[in-house]
Amino acid sequence: MRAVISAGAVFFAAVSLAQAGTMATGEQISAAISGNTVQGSMIASGAYTEFYGADGAIRGKGYSGKWRVNGDTMCFQYGQDPEACWQVRLDGDQVTWVKGGKDDGAGAIVKGNPNNF
């Protein structure tokens, strides 16, 4: 009986990890992000809080940009910088930005625009 429980626990853990590692589709990204704010941190640039308008506008404290879903990635463009895209992993209100197969940042999705950006 103990071997059966242990095997079941291992199987459940493996399934949970596989689901946690599943990348979001473009439709899932839009549904989770559009019209909401994400507060988090990127490895390269540090902390951020941004509102992602349904019109494709990004608004943060003292800056703005554009966002769009391209296939199953979310793309960002700020000022004259070139557009950059990330895969997205969603887990409830948590988002992880994935670039080149590695986690590049993470954040929490907050409903609406509570910072009035």
Side-chain angles (χ1 to χ4, degrees):
M1 179 73 169
R2 184 177 185 151
V4 171
I5 293 171
S6 295
V10 169
F11 175 76
F12 178 76
V15 169
S16 296
L17 287 173
Q19 289 172 342
T22 302
M23 296 302 166
T25 65
E27 187 175 291
Q28 291 168 326
I29 295 167
S30 291
I33 303 294
S34 184
N36 292 316
T37 297
V38 177
Q39 299 174 329
S41 183
M42 298 299 289
I43 291 172
S45 57
Y48 68 92
T49 299
E50 295 180 330
F51 172 70
Y52 301 99
D55 62 355
I58 297 172
R59 293 192 290 279
K61 187 174 182 176
Y63 68 93
S64 63
K66 299 176 191 172
W67 74 276
R68 70 184 181 104
V69 172
N70 183 17
D72 291 334
T73 65
M74 185 164 169
C75 302
F76 306 82
Q77 201 269 322
Y78 302 92
Q80 298 302 312
D81 293 342
E83 181 180 75
C85 301
W86 279 259
Q87 289 181 290
V88 178
R89 198 168 47 245
L90 296 168
D91 184 12
D93 68 349
Q94 299 300 301
V95 60
T96 302
W97 309 109
V98 180
K99 187 85 153 182
K102 297 181 181 178
D103 292 0
D104 199 32
I109 300 168
V110 180
K111 293 289 183 193
N113 186 8
N115 298 300
N116 296 312
F117 290 139

